[in-house]
Amino acid sequence: MSRFTAEEANVDESTPFISHEQSRTRKEYPPKRQLAILFLIQSCENITAIYPFENQLVRSTGVTGGDEKRTGYYVGFMESLFFLAEGSTAVLWQMASERFGRRALLLLAPPGLGLTMISFGLADTFSGLVVARTLQGAFNGDVGVTKTALADLADSSNRAEVMALVPVFLSIGGTLGPFIGGVFSEPSRHWPNTLGKIKLFQDRPYLLPCLISGVMCLAVFVYTFLKFDETHPSFKKQRALSNTRTNNEHDIRGTSQASQCGSPPLSISKVLTREVVLALVISGFYTICMISVKSLQALIWSTSIENGGLGFDALTIGTINTAAGILNAILLFCVLGKLIRYLGSRKAILSHFILSFFALILYPLQTYLAYQAKGVGYRVWFVIVLQVCCMNFRFLGYGALLVFAVEVSPHPTATGIVQGLVQTTGVLVKSVGPALASSLFAYTIETNAWGGSLVYIVLGAMHLGAIGVALALPIV
């Protein structure tokens, strides 16, 4: 009648009350300082202060010849080069982190991002902007290393919670960026009695927000250099073997993971199961839909009402994005992990695409109402608020995608490969998204293609395709 086996009954006082395997199922968190530094680095990678004023800055170089309708072509080209540089260097960053350790690579990215951000603010030609933005993309390729370092620290008992925090801190960075870009751009106009008196900021009206963002990145570099420890399992194991004392349970976790890393890696054919291929496809759809909808935001909001936009200045765009980002961070921190657990990764991804499709179709409604009223009235603001609420859940899809990629991995030793493939797929698709959305918008308003609806029809069709793929995802 007893359910205990003979082996289980053969215990004595020296047998641990809770086995090692059982103890691994407890929910325990990695070192908080290590996590905090990794999330700070991720925030740096997302503190892009340029979005509120990017379109105005490109126009100020004279490259559009005074025709604001052509802005989308140039902004889309520049942003696509950024993401192309990020995608083409992501694998190199990952390979280098395997050889030299995570810490060495994580120390390179923040100062690189900081200096290129400052260079962007100093540039006064379109070619200078392109070079600075492309270099930012190359240093942003380090984003995969931060996720790998998080995976080094996490285990099966806390992986979902740790990965759910990734979008939270991306949102924090995405909130600070627009706030800095909107509030501190054109200081001679917004701060005429203080910062606006400085000659450098008069000549370079968009340098100050870039300078603030750059200094923040450099500060994160200093803190990382002083406080961050290596997370690579093999490097930690070497350190543990050279040191006869055992530090703490987190070193034990690192040694345990290192032993797993010693397992023979799966071939790529065995990694690319049907579920993994679907994860790559949905990652591509997520990225192009998300980046296209986001790229349209600043472009439509900064374009005049007569030319199919809302006519907002950089301060207004930055303020809206800041308020949306604060709300987003609160929602993500409070409910994201719970929501993904409640819905499951498949339903969470599907919900994201439905909300993103709804956010997309609100753009033509905004511009139509503004054109009819010859200004931005309360009805337009209501639609903007509704759209921002829908877009705030884009990180629901991102967090669910990270969890889904772990769930469909065919073997624990393949999890890093799957995450790397998902990351690379997403970043490479990003190199197409901004150019596609911006150029489609520019072409649509220039030619009034399909009654001025071409850009929304094409991107809407992409969303419907993404919803179809999401419905085909397995329940895991």
Side-chain angles (χ1 to χ4, degrees):
M1 186 169 63
S2 173
R3 298 177 59 184
F4 292 101
T5 65
E7 182 180 354
E8 289 171 328
N10 186 24
V11 296
D12 55 30
E13 293 180 354
S14 63
T15 305
F17 182 71
I18 300 176
S19 68
H20 174 68
E21 291 300 321
Q22 289 173 318
S23 66
R24 295 287 292 164
T25 62
R26 286 181 171 178
K27 187 182 293 186
E28 49 188 45
Y29 287 89
K32 293 181 180 179
R33 188 177 67 188
Q34 295 283 83
L35 288 179
I37 293 175
L38 289 173
F39 289 134
L40 278 174
I41 295 173
Q42 279 209 321
S43 296
C44 276
E45 292 164 348
N46 213 36
I47 295 179
T48 306
I50 71 171
Y51 286 129
F53 59 80
E54 182 180 26
N55 296 284
Q56 293 93 321
L57 179 56
V58 169
R59 293 178 191 130
S60 70
T61 64
V63 70
T64 64
D67 185 2
E68 73 168 348
K69 295 180 181 179
R70 300 184 58 82
T71 306
Y73 295 121
Y74 295 99
V75 173
F77 172 74
M78 182 171 66
E79 287 302 304
S80 290
L81 284 181
F82 169 85
F83 290 116
L84 182 62
E86 181 181 346
S88 59
T89 59
V91 175
L92 298 177
W93 281 96
Q94 289 279 26
M95 292 172 61
S97 76
E98 294 295 334
R99 181 173 181 180
F100 301 107
R102 318 289 189 224
R103 186 177 188 273
L105 275 297
L106 292 173
L107 285 173
L108 289 177
L113 288 169
L115 293 175
T116 53
M117 180 64 71
I118 295 171
S119 300
F120 188 87
L122 287 169
D124 56 2
T125 63
F126 180 69
S127 59
L129 295 177
V130 169
V131 171
R133 191 70 176 135
T134 303
L135 288 175
Q136 286 177 36
F139 282 105
N140 221 50
D142 179 59
V143 65
V145 179
T146 59
K147 293 186 179 69
T148 304
L150 287 171
D152 292 338
L153 293 172
D155 58 35
S156 59
S157 71
N158 53 46
R159 185 178 294 114
E161 284 72 18
V162 170
M163 290 303 181
L165 288 173
V166 172
V168 175
F169 286 90
L170 287 176
S171 176
I172 292 173
T175 300
L176 285 174
F179 172 78
I180 294 170
V183 172
F184 294 100
S185 61
E186 300 180 289
S188 59
R189 176 184 172 189
H190 299 134
W191 307 88
N193 297 323
T194 52
L195 296 171
K197 293 182 177 181
I198 300 176
K199 183 69 164 58
L200 180 62
F201 296 149
Q202 293 174 357
D203 297 336
R204 299 286 190 275
Y206 303 107
L207 171 60
L208 181 58
C210 295
L211 185 63
I212 294 172
S213 298
V215 170
M216 290 174 67
C217 291
L218 294 175
V220 170
F221 159 73
V222 173
Y223 186 58
T224 304
F225 178 79
L226 294 174
K227 298 295 184 179
F228 188 71
D229 298 323
E230 181 60 64
T231 66
H232 193 295
S234 297
F235 284 76
K236 290 176 70 176
K237 183 178 181 181
Q238 292 173 6
R239 184 178 61 185
L241 290 175
S242 64
N243 194 339
T244 55
R245 61 186 178 85
T246 302
N247 291 322
N248 52 43
E249 61 183 37
H250 296 292
D251 291 316
I252 296 174
R253 178 187 298 128
T255 305
S256 174
Q257 291 178 346
S259 65
Q260 292 181 2
C261 293
S263 303
L266 295 180
S267 63
I268 193 67
S269 61
K270 292 183 178 179
V271 171
L272 290 176
T273 61
R274 176 182 179 274
E275 292 78 10
V276 171
V277 171
L278 282 173
L280 299 181
V281 174
I282 203 66
S283 172
F285 268 116
Y286 167 82
T287 303
I288 197 165
C289 290
M290 180 271 294
I291 201 68
S292 296
V293 173
K294 185 64 178 175
S295 296
L296 283 180
Q297 186 187 76
L299 192 57
I300 291 174
W301 288 0
S302 67
T303 301
S304 65
I305 294 176
E306 294 76 16
N307 288 314
L310 298 183
F312 289 159
D313 59 14
L315 179 60
T316 303
I317 296 173
T319 302
I320 296 171
N321 280 320
T322 299
I326 293 172
L327 175 62
N328 193 35
I330 294 172
L331 288 173
L332 289 173
F333 186 78
C334 295
V335 304
L336 180 63
K338 297 177 182 178
L339 197 56
I340 292 176
R341 285 188 178 276
Y342 175 74
L343 294 175
S345 54
R346 177 180 176 272
K347 289 183 179 179
I349 292 171
L350 179 61
S351 300
H352 155 76
F353 283 118
I354 293 173
L355 290 171
S356 182
F357 177 77
F358 190 56
L360 173 68
I361 63 177
L362 290 177
Y363 277 128
L365 181 58
Q366 291 174 17
T367 56
Y368 172 78
L369 292 174
Y371 185 79
Q372 290 295 316
K374 306 299 181 183
V376 178
Y378 72 93
R379 291 187 297 175
V380 177
W381 280 111
F382 176 77
V383 175
I384 289 174
V385 171
L386 188 60
Q387 182 189 55
V388 166
C389 290
C390 292
M391 292 180 66
N392 267 351
F393 281 93
R394 70 184 183 275
F395 284 120
L396 170 65
Y398 184 71
L401 184 60
L402 292 176
V403 175
F404 182 77
V406 174
E407 291 173 337
V408 300
S409 177
H411 191 272
T413 59
T415 301
I417 300 174
V418 174
Q419 289 282 1
L421 289 172
V422 169
Q423 177 73 25
T424 301
T425 301
V427 172
L428 289 177
V429 171
K430 278 183 181 179
S431 65
V432 179
L436 176 66
S438 300
S439 298
L440 271 174
F441 178 76
Y443 179 77
T444 299
I445 62 175
E446 266 192 319
T447 64
N448 197 35
W450 289 8
S453 302
L454 176 63
V455 59
Y456 308 115
I457 292 172
V458 173
L459 296 183
M462 288 184 184
H463 277 76
L464 293 178
I467 291 172
V469 175
L471 288 170
L473 294 177
I475 300 175
V476 290

